[in-house]
Amino acid sequence: SYVLTQPPSVSVAPGQTARITCGGNNIGSQSVHWYQQKPGQAPVVVVHDDRDRPSGIPERFSGSNSGNTATLTISRVEAGDEADYYCQVWDPSSDHVLFGGGTKLTVL
Amino acid sequence: QLQLNESGPGLVKPSETLSLTCSVSGGSTSSNLYYWAWIRQPPGRGLEWIGVIYYIGTTYYNPSLKSRVTISVDTSKNHFSLRLTSVSAADTAVYYCARVPYSSGWYGWLDLWGQGTLVTISS
């Protein structure tokens, strides 16, 4: 079965750039979506279809996807970006919608 | 502004059936522009996609849950529902309902979520 791999945690200082990866076999051939989840809240999509930002999401959030790795990049990180981040893809071979295990972003 | 609101029992006994409803306000479940989805999250753990439904009743389910899950839609009441049979402690989770743009496919991104409701499986 298809597996999505995210690092459990990423730490970054305010103002720096955070990169959160989502690994999967040939993930570059699929559309990847990214969600931000703050404690006690529902997830919110920050990037969809690899690199598209919904309205209201700051330009600091961007995405890329190639080969076996998709990446969510958060530029000029702020304290308010501290949250769990999840990637989501569809595996056509199993017709299964999958989430990565999540990455906790800590702003130092 | 469309809103989604989950409701249902917060406590279900093992081996019984979990039933939840997602009420849609400010929009319509009969819209052909969206699918309607259920996702769950065990306490302290990650997200798990359960399934989606289109307004005409077409459904797609997580293969690992397919034998126990039914998602239905009632456009007259403007809500959609989740039934999960033969529950166990492993089904304890926050259950979210959400919306999927039709243009993204039934497997696409979730652009709007409810606030979630905790369901505990315990005797």
Side-chain angles (χ1 to χ4, degrees), chain A residues 28-59:
Chain A
S29 66
Q30 299 302 324
S31 291
V32 179
H33 318 299
W34 291 93
Y35 301 88
Q36 175 194 70
Q37 185 180 33
K38 296 182 179 180
Q41 298 183 20
V44 173
V45 61
V46 291
V47 168
H48 66 90
D49 296 298
D50 296 340
R51 59 182 65 247
D52 294 336
R53 272 180 294 103
S55 61
I57 301 301
E59 291 184 7

PDB file of all heavy atoms in Angstrom, chain A residues 28-59:
ATOM      1  N   GLY A  28       5.352  12.899  -7.284  1.00  0.00           N
ATOM      2  CA  GLY A  28       5.315  13.995  -8.243  1.00  0.00           C
ATOM      3  C   GLY A  28       4.253  13.821  -9.321  1.00  0.00           C
ATOM      4  O   GLY A  28       3.888  14.786  -9.985  1.00  0.00           O
ATOM      5  N   SER A  29       3.768  12.601  -9.504  1.00  0.00           N
ATOM      6  CA  SER A  29       2.739  12.344 -10.512  1.00  0.00           C
ATOM      7  C   SER A  29       1.328  12.561  -9.964  1.00  0.00           C
ATOM      8  O   SER A  29       0.350  12.426 -10.708  1.00  0.00           O
ATOM      9  CB  SER A  29       2.853  10.910 -11.037  1.00  0.00           C
ATOM     10  OG  SER A  29       2.561   9.985 -10.011  1.00  0.00           O
ATOM     11  N   GLN A  30       1.208  12.890  -8.690  1.00  0.00           N
ATOM     12  CA  GLN A  30      -0.082  13.123  -8.046  1.00  0.00           C
ATOM     13  C   GLN A  30      -0.189  14.559  -7.557  1.00  0.00           C
ATOM     14  O   GLN A  30       0.813  15.232  -7.354  1.00  0.00           O
ATOM     15  CB  GLN A  30      -0.271  12.165  -6.875  1.00  0.00           C
ATOM     16  CG  GLN A  30      -0.254  10.704  -7.266  1.00  0.00           C
ATOM     17  CD  GLN A  30      -1.312  10.366  -8.292  1.00  0.00           C
ATOM     18  OE1 GLN A  30      -2.420  10.913  -8.263  1.00  0.00           O
ATOM     19  NE2 GLN A  30      -0.993   9.469  -9.210  1.00  0.00           N
ATOM     20  N   SER A  31      -1.409  14.996  -7.341  1.00  0.00           N
ATOM     21  CA  SER A  31      -1.640  16.308  -6.744  1.00  0.00           C
ATOM     22  C   SER A  31      -1.552  16.181  -5.225  1.00  0.00           C
ATOM     23  O   SER A  31      -2.172  15.282  -4.637  1.00  0.00           O
ATOM     24  CB  SER A  31      -3.009  16.849  -7.146  1.00  0.00           C
ATOM     25  OG  SER A  31      -3.045  17.175  -8.515  1.00  0.00           O
ATOM     26  N   VAL A  32      -0.819  17.094  -4.616  1.00  0.00           N
ATOM     27  CA  VAL A  32      -0.624  17.077  -3.169  1.00  0.00           C
ATOM     28  C   VAL A  32      -1.296  18.299  -2.542  1.00  0.00           C
ATOM     29  O   VAL A  32      -1.207  19.409  -3.083  1.00  0.00           O
ATOM     30  CB  VAL A  32       0.865  17.062  -2.808  1.00  0.00           C
ATOM     31  CG1 VAL A  32       1.052  17.064  -1.277  1.00  0.00           C
ATOM     32  CG2 VAL A  32       1.543  15.834  -3.408  1.00  0.00           C
ATOM     33  N   HIS A  33      -1.965  18.062  -1.445  1.00  0.00           N
ATOM     34  CA  HIS A  33      -2.636  19.143  -0.724  1.00  0.00           C
ATOM     35  C   HIS A  33      -2.057  19.211   0.678  1.00  0.00           C
ATOM     36  O   HIS A  33      -1.703  18.177   1.276  1.00  0.00           O
ATOM     37  CB  HIS A  33      -4.145  18.891  -0.667  1.00  0.00           C
ATOM     38  CG  HIS A  33      -4.710  18.380  -1.964  1.00  0.00           C
ATOM     39  ND1 HIS A  33      -4.650  19.103  -3.134  1.00  0.00           N
ATOM     40  CD2 HIS A  33      -5.327  17.211  -2.257  1.00  0.00           C
ATOM     41  CE1 HIS A  33      -5.210  18.389  -4.113  1.00  0.00           C
ATOM     42  NE2 HIS A  33      -5.620  17.234  -3.599  1.00  0.00           N
ATOM     43  N   TRP A  34      -1.983  20.409   1.238  1.00  0.00           N
ATOM     44  CA  TRP A  34      -1.389  20.626   2.560  1.00  0.00           C
ATOM     45  C   TRP A  34      -2.390  21.318   3.488  1.00  0.00           C
ATOM     46  O   TRP A  34      -3.057  22.280   3.088  1.00  0.00           O
ATOM     47  CB  TRP A  34      -0.146  21.499   2.441  1.00  0.00           C
ATOM     48  CG  TRP A  34       1.010  20.838   1.762  1.00  0.00           C
ATOM     49  CD1 TRP A  34       1.342  20.892   0.437  1.00  0.00           C
ATOM     50  CD2 TRP A  34       2.020  20.032   2.390  1.00  0.00           C
ATOM     51  NE1 TRP A  34       2.493  20.159   0.199  1.00  0.00           N
ATOM     52  CE2 TRP A  34       2.923  19.634   1.388  1.00  0.00           C
ATOM     53  CE3 TRP A  34       2.249  19.616   3.710  1.00  0.00           C
ATOM     54  CZ2 TRP A  34       4.029  18.835   1.661  1.00  0.00           C
ATOM     55  CZ3 TRP A  34       3.350  18.826   3.978  1.00  0.00           C
ATOM     56  CH2 TRP A  34       4.227  18.438   2.959  1.00  0.00           C
ATOM     57  N   TYR A  35      -2.420  20.844   4.746  1.00  0.00           N
ATOM     58  CA  TYR A  35      -3.320  21.394   5.759  1.00  0.00           C
ATOM     59  C   TYR A  35      -2.528  21.832   6.984  1.00  0.00           C
ATOM     60  O   TYR A  35      -1.552  21.188   7.361  1.00  0.00           O
ATOM     61  CB  TYR A  35      -4.365  20.353   6.177  1.00  0.00           C
ATOM     62  CG  TYR A  35      -5.206  19.874   5.020  1.00  0.00           C
ATOM     63  CD1 TYR A  35      -4.795  18.804   4.239  1.00  0.00           C
ATOM     64  CD2 TYR A  35      -6.394  20.512   4.684  1.00  0.00           C
ATOM     65  CE1 TYR A  35      -5.538  18.377   3.151  1.00  0.00           C
ATOM     66  CE2 TYR A  35      -7.142  20.088   3.598  1.00  0.00           C
ATOM     67  CZ  TYR A  35      -6.710  19.025   2.833  1.00  0.00           C
ATOM     68  OH  TYR A  35      -7.450  18.606   1.750  1.00  0.00           O
ATOM     69  N   GLN A  36      -3.000  22.899   7.577  1.00  0.00           N
ATOM     70  CA  GLN A  36      -2.462  23.386   8.850  1.00  0.00           C
ATOM     71  C   GLN A  36      -3.503  23.118   9.928  1.00  0.00           C
ATOM     72  O   GLN A  36      -4.689  23.427   9.728  1.00  0.00           O
ATOM     73  CB  GLN A  36      -2.201  24.898   8.752  1.00  0.00           C
ATOM     74  CG  GLN A  36      -1.751  25.547  10.043  1.00  0.00           C
ATOM     75  CD  GLN A  36      -1.839  27.071   9.955  1.00  0.00           C
ATOM     76  OE1 GLN A  36      -2.925  27.643   9.919  1.00  0.00           O
ATOM     77  NE2 GLN A  36      -0.681  27.727   9.924  1.00  0.00           N
ATOM     78  N   GLN A  37      -3.071  22.548  11.044  1.00  0.00           N
ATOM     79  CA  GLN A  37      -3.992  22.295  12.150  1.00  0.00           C
ATOM     80  C   GLN A  37      -3.395  22.808  13.450  1.00  0.00           C
ATOM     81  O   GLN A  37      -2.366  22.314  13.909  1.00  0.00           O
ATOM     82  CB  GLN A  37      -4.325  20.812  12.276  1.00  0.00           C
ATOM     83  CG  GLN A  37      -5.387  20.526  13.339  1.00  0.00           C
ATOM     84  CD  GLN A  37      -5.737  19.062  13.469  1.00  0.00           C
ATOM     85  OE1 GLN A  37      -4.890  18.183  13.289  1.00  0.00           O
ATOM     86  NE2 GLN A  37      -6.994  18.760  13.785  1.00  0.00           N
ATOM     87  N   LYS A  38      -4.064  23.775  14.032  1.00  0.00           N
ATOM     88  CA  LYS A  38      -3.649  24.304  15.329  1.00  0.00           C
ATOM     89  C   LYS A  38      -4.383  23.546  16.429  1.00  0.00           C
ATOM     90  O   LYS A  38      -5.460  22.973  16.165  1.00  0.00           O
ATOM     91  CB  LYS A  38      -3.909  25.808  15.389  1.00  0.00           C
ATOM     92  CG  LYS A  38      -3.058  26.578  14.368  1.00  0.00           C
ATOM     93  CD  LYS A  38      -3.277  28.073  14.441  1.00  0.00           C
ATOM     94  CE  LYS A  38      -2.377  28.776  13.424  1.00  0.00           C
ATOM     95  NZ  LYS A  38      -2.535  30.254  13.435  1.00  0.00           N
ATOM     96  N   PRO A  39      -3.828  23.518  17.645  1.00  0.00           N
ATOM     97  CA  PRO A  39      -4.421  22.715  18.724  1.00  0.00           C
ATOM     98  C   PRO A  39      -5.893  23.037  18.946  1.00  0.00           C
ATOM     99  O   PRO A  39      -6.280  24.207  19.037  1.00  0.00           O
ATOM    100  CB  PRO A  39      -3.569  23.103  19.937  1.00  0.00           C
ATOM    101  CG  PRO A  39      -2.246  23.500  19.367  1.00  0.00           C
ATOM    102  CD  PRO A  39      -2.567  24.163  18.063  1.00  0.00           C
ATOM    103  N   GLY A  40      -6.704  21.986  19.006  1.00  0.00           N
ATOM    104  CA  GLY A  40      -8.122  22.142  19.279  1.00  0.00           C
ATOM    105  C   GLY A  40      -8.948  22.670  18.118  1.00  0.00           C
ATOM    106  O   GLY A  40     -10.136  22.949  18.289  1.00  0.00           O
ATOM    107  N   GLN A  41      -8.336  22.804  16.958  1.00  0.00           N
ATOM    108  CA  GLN A  41      -9.043  23.350  15.803  1.00  0.00           C
ATOM    109  C   GLN A  41      -9.073  22.332  14.653  1.00  0.00           C
ATOM    110  O   GLN A  41      -8.287  21.390  14.612  1.00  0.00           O
ATOM    111  CB  GLN A  41      -8.377  24.636  15.315  1.00  0.00           C
ATOM    112  CG  GLN A  41      -8.391  25.759  16.338  1.00  0.00           C
ATOM    113  CD  GLN A  41      -7.788  27.040  15.784  1.00  0.00           C
ATOM    114  OE1 GLN A  41      -7.683  27.233  14.569  1.00  0.00           O
ATOM    115  NE2 GLN A  41      -7.389  27.931  16.675  1.00  0.00           N
ATOM    116  N   ALA A  42     -10.018  22.558  13.742  1.00  0.00           N
ATOM    117  CA  ALA A  42     -10.065  21.739  12.535  1.00  0.00           C
ATOM    118  C   ALA A  42      -8.929  22.138  11.591  1.00  0.00           C
ATOM    119  O   ALA A  42      -8.445  23.272  11.631  1.00  0.00           O
ATOM    120  CB  ALA A  42     -11.405  21.934  11.834  1.00  0.00           C
ATOM    121  N   PRO A  43      -8.505  21.218  10.739  1.00  0.00           N
ATOM    122  CA  PRO A  43      -7.493  21.573   9.742  1.00  0.00           C
ATOM    123  C   PRO A  43      -8.000  22.641   8.781  1.00  0.00           C
ATOM    124  O   PRO A  43      -9.204  22.774   8.541  1.00  0.00           O
ATOM    125  CB  PRO A  43      -7.251  20.244   9.012  1.00  0.00           C
ATOM    126  CG  PRO A  43      -7.674  19.192   9.985  1.00  0.00           C
ATOM    127  CD  PRO A  43      -8.839  19.795  10.723  1.00  0.00           C
ATOM    128  N   VAL A  44      -7.042  23.377   8.234  1.00  0.00           N
ATOM    129  CA  VAL A  44      -7.318  24.397   7.221  1.00  0.00           C
ATOM    130  C   VAL A  44      -6.353  24.157   6.061  1.00  0.00           C
ATOM    131  O   VAL A  44      -5.149  23.995   6.282  1.00  0.00           O
ATOM    132  CB  VAL A  44      -7.110  25.813   7.787  1.00  0.00           C
ATOM    133  CG1 VAL A  44      -7.222  26.851   6.675  1.00  0.00           C
ATOM    134  CG2 VAL A  44      -8.108  26.105   8.901  1.00  0.00           C
ATOM    135  N   VAL A  45      -6.873  24.157   4.837  1.00  0.00           N
ATOM    136  CA  VAL A  45      -5.996  23.950   3.689  1.00  0.00           C
ATOM    137  C   VAL A  45      -5.160  25.202   3.455  1.00  0.00           C
ATOM    138  O   VAL A  45      -5.674  26.324   3.470  1.00  0.00           O
ATOM    139  CB  VAL A  45      -6.809  23.562   2.429  1.00  0.00           C
ATOM    140  CG1 VAL A  45      -7.781  24.645   2.025  1.00  0.00           C
ATOM    141  CG2 VAL A  45      -5.881  23.172   1.289  1.00  0.00           C
ATOM    142  N   VAL A  46      -3.854  25.023   3.269  1.00  0.00           N
ATOM    143  CA  VAL A  46      -2.968  26.157   2.996  1.00  0.00           C
ATOM    144  C   VAL A  46      -2.417  26.121   1.570  1.00  0.00           C
ATOM    145  O   VAL A  46      -2.089  27.158   0.998  1.00  0.00           O
ATOM    146  CB  VAL A  46      -1.813  26.239   4.018  1.00  0.00           C
ATOM    147  CG1 VAL A  46      -2.343  26.623   5.394  1.00  0.00           C
ATOM    148  CG2 VAL A  46      -1.026  24.937   4.087  1.00  0.00           C
ATOM    149  N   VAL A  47      -2.313  24.923   1.010  1.00  0.00           N
ATOM    150  CA  VAL A  47      -1.890  24.746  -0.386  1.00  0.00           C
ATOM    151  C   VAL A  47      -2.656  23.562  -0.955  1.00  0.00           C
ATOM    152  O   VAL A  47      -2.774  22.525  -0.291  1.00  0.00           O
ATOM    153  CB  VAL A  47      -0.368  24.495  -0.500  1.00  0.00           C
ATOM    154  CG1 VAL A  47       0.004  24.015  -1.908  1.00  0.00           C
ATOM    155  CG2 VAL A  47       0.427  25.742  -0.148  1.00  0.00           C
ATOM    156  N   HIS A  48      -3.166  23.704  -2.177  1.00  0.00           N
ATOM    157  CA  HIS A  48      -3.807  22.568  -2.843  1.00  0.00           C
ATOM    158  C   HIS A  48      -3.248  22.414  -4.247  1.00  0.00           C
ATOM    159  O   HIS A  48      -2.692  23.356  -4.820  1.00  0.00           O
ATOM    160  CB  HIS A  48      -5.331  22.704  -2.856  1.00  0.00           C
ATOM    161  CG  HIS A  48      -5.842  23.848  -3.690  1.00  0.00           C
ATOM    162  ND1 HIS A  48      -6.145  23.734  -5.032  1.00  0.00           N
ATOM    163  CD2 HIS A  48      -6.119  25.124  -3.351  1.00  0.00           C
ATOM    164  CE1 HIS A  48      -6.590  24.884  -5.481  1.00  0.00           C
ATOM    165  NE2 HIS A  48      -6.577  25.759  -4.481  1.00  0.00           N
ATOM    166  N   ASP A  49      -3.382  21.200  -4.761  1.00  0.00           N
ATOM    167  CA  ASP A  49      -2.868  20.906  -6.110  1.00  0.00           C
ATOM    168  C   ASP A  49      -1.413  21.346  -6.261  1.00  0.00           C
ATOM    169  O   ASP A  49      -1.062  22.089  -7.207  1.00  0.00           O
ATOM    170  CB  ASP A  49      -3.768  21.549  -7.157  1.00  0.00           C
ATOM    171  CG  ASP A  49      -5.174  20.961  -7.123  1.00  0.00           C
ATOM    172  OD1 ASP A  49      -5.309  19.749  -7.376  1.00  0.00           O
ATOM    173  OD2 ASP A  49      -6.126  21.703  -6.790  1.00  0.00           O
ATOM    174  N   ASP A  50      -0.618  20.914  -5.340  1.00  0.00           N
ATOM    175  CA  ASP A  50       0.838  21.110  -5.318  1.00  0.00           C
ATOM    176  C   ASP A  50       1.276  22.522  -4.923  1.00  0.00           C
ATOM    177  O   ASP A  50       2.189  22.678  -4.123  1.00  0.00           O
ATOM    178  CB  ASP A  50       1.460  20.789  -6.692  1.00  0.00           C
ATOM    179  CG  ASP A  50       1.318  19.343  -7.092  1.00  0.00           C
ATOM    180  OD1 ASP A  50       1.091  18.501  -6.204  1.00  0.00           O
ATOM    181  OD2 ASP A  50       1.422  19.048  -8.303  1.00  0.00           O
ATOM    182  N   ARG A  51       0.636  23.557  -5.536  1.00  0.00           N
ATOM    183  CA  ARG A  51       1.202  24.891  -5.352  1.00  0.00           C
ATOM    184  C   ARG A  51       0.157  26.011  -5.320  1.00  0.00           C
ATOM    185  O   ARG A  51       0.534  27.186  -5.275  1.00  0.00           O
ATOM    186  CB  ARG A  51       2.211  25.189  -6.454  1.00  0.00           C
ATOM    187  CG  ARG A  51       1.670  25.129  -7.865  1.00  0.00           C
ATOM    188  CD  ARG A  51       2.769  25.395  -8.902  1.00  0.00           C
ATOM    189  NE  ARG A  51       3.787  24.352  -8.887  1.00  0.00           N
ATOM    190  CZ  ARG A  51       5.025  24.568  -8.504  1.00  0.00           C
ATOM    191  NH1 ARG A  51       5.393  25.754  -8.080  1.00  0.00           N
ATOM    192  NH2 ARG A  51       5.909  23.592  -8.549  1.00  0.00           N
ATOM    193  N   ASP A  52      -1.110  25.681  -5.351  1.00  0.00           N
ATOM    194  CA  ASP A  52      -2.154  26.711  -5.362  1.00  0.00           C
ATOM    195  C   ASP A  52      -2.565  27.097  -3.940  1.00  0.00           C
ATOM    196  O   ASP A  52      -2.785  26.218  -3.102  1.00  0.00           O
ATOM    197  CB  ASP A  52      -3.382  26.229  -6.129  1.00  0.00           C
ATOM    198  CG  ASP A  52      -3.104  26.042  -7.605  1.00  0.00           C
ATOM    199  OD1 ASP A  52      -2.153  26.693  -8.116  1.00  0.00           O
ATOM    200  OD2 ASP A  52      -3.814  25.262  -8.254  1.00  0.00           O
ATOM    201  N   ARG A  53      -2.666  28.387  -3.704  1.00  0.00           N
ATOM    202  CA  ARG A  53      -3.073  28.882  -2.388  1.00  0.00           C
ATOM    203  C   ARG A  53      -4.525  29.336  -2.417  1.00  0.00           C
ATOM    204  O   ARG A  53      -4.899  30.141  -3.278  1.00  0.00           O
ATOM    205  CB  ARG A  53      -2.197  30.069  -1.966  1.00  0.00           C
ATOM    206  CG  ARG A  53      -0.948  29.698  -1.236  1.00  0.00           C
ATOM    207  CD  ARG A  53      -0.142  30.957  -0.853  1.00  0.00           C
ATOM    208  NE  ARG A  53       0.353  31.634  -2.039  1.00  0.00           N
ATOM    209  CZ  ARG A  53      -0.175  32.743  -2.545  1.00  0.00           C
ATOM    210  NH1 ARG A  53      -1.221  33.298  -1.972  1.00  0.00           N
ATOM    211  NH2 ARG A  53       0.339  33.294  -3.630  1.00  0.00           N
ATOM    212  N   PRO A  54      -5.344  28.854  -1.460  1.00  0.00           N
ATOM    213  CA  PRO A  54      -6.724  29.371  -1.373  1.00  0.00           C
ATOM    214  C   PRO A  54      -6.686  30.848  -0.988  1.00  0.00           C
ATOM    215  O   PRO A  54      -5.703  31.334  -0.429  1.00  0.00           O
ATOM    216  CB  PRO A  54      -7.345  28.536  -0.254  1.00  0.00           C
ATOM    217  CG  PRO A  54      -6.462  27.342  -0.108  1.00  0.00           C
ATOM    218  CD  PRO A  54      -5.089  27.798  -0.483  1.00  0.00           C
ATOM    219  N   SER A  55      -7.770  31.533  -1.282  1.00  0.00           N
ATOM    220  CA  SER A  55      -7.849  32.935  -0.888  1.00  0.00           C
ATOM    221  C   SER A  55      -7.745  33.047   0.630  1.00  0.00           C
ATOM    222  O   SER A  55      -8.297  32.230   1.364  1.00  0.00           O
ATOM    223  CB  SER A  55      -9.155  33.561  -1.379  1.00  0.00           C
ATOM    224  OG  SER A  55     -10.248  32.892  -0.818  1.00  0.00           O
ATOM    225  N   GLY A  56      -7.006  34.054   1.062  1.00  0.00           N
ATOM    226  CA  GLY A  56      -6.835  34.285   2.493  1.00  0.00           C
ATOM    227  C   GLY A  56      -5.581  33.659   3.073  1.00  0.00           C
ATOM    228  O   GLY A  56      -5.203  33.961   4.208  1.00  0.00           O
ATOM    229  N   ILE A  57      -4.929  32.789   2.313  1.00  0.00           N
ATOM    230  CA  ILE A  57      -3.678  32.189   2.780  1.00  0.00           C
ATOM    231  C   ILE A  57      -2.519  33.079   2.331  1.00  0.00           C
ATOM    232  O   ILE A  57      -2.407  33.402   1.143  1.00  0.00           O
ATOM    233  CB  ILE A  57      -3.499  30.762   2.238  1.00  0.00           C
ATOM    234  CG1 ILE A  57      -4.657  29.877   2.689  1.00  0.00           C
ATOM    235  CG2 ILE A  57      -2.161  30.185   2.686  1.00  0.00           C
ATOM    236  CD1 ILE A  57      -4.818  29.755   4.191  1.00  0.00           C
ATOM    237  N   PRO A  58      -1.645  33.452   3.270  1.00  0.00           N
ATOM    238  CA  PRO A  58      -0.538  34.365   2.918  1.00  0.00           C
ATOM    239  C   PRO A  58       0.385  33.793   1.844  1.00  0.00           C
ATOM    240  O   PRO A  58       0.565  32.579   1.752  1.00  0.00           O
ATOM    241  CB  PRO A  58       0.209  34.537   4.242  1.00  0.00           C
ATOM    242  CG  PRO A  58      -0.777  34.187   5.303  1.00  0.00           C
ATOM    243  CD  PRO A  58      -1.656  33.139   4.716  1.00  0.00           C
ATOM    244  N   GLU A  59       0.989  34.675   1.081  1.00  0.00           N
ATOM    245  CA  GLU A  59       1.934  34.264   0.037  1.00  0.00           C
ATOM    246  C   GLU A  59       3.157  33.586   0.619  1.00  0.00           C
ATOM    247  O   GLU A  59       3.921  32.950  -0.113  1.00  0.00           O
ATOM    248  CB  GLU A  59       2.350  35.492  -0.776  1.00  0.00           C
ATOM    249  CG  GLU A  59       1.248  36.076  -1.629  1.00  0.00           C
ATOM    250  CD  GLU A  59       1.743  37.231  -2.482  1.00  0.00           C
ATOM    251  OE1 GLU A  59       2.975  37.483  -2.507  1.00  0.00           O
ATOM    252  OE2 GLU A  59       0.908  37.889  -3.120  1.00  0.00           O
TER     253      GLU A  59
END
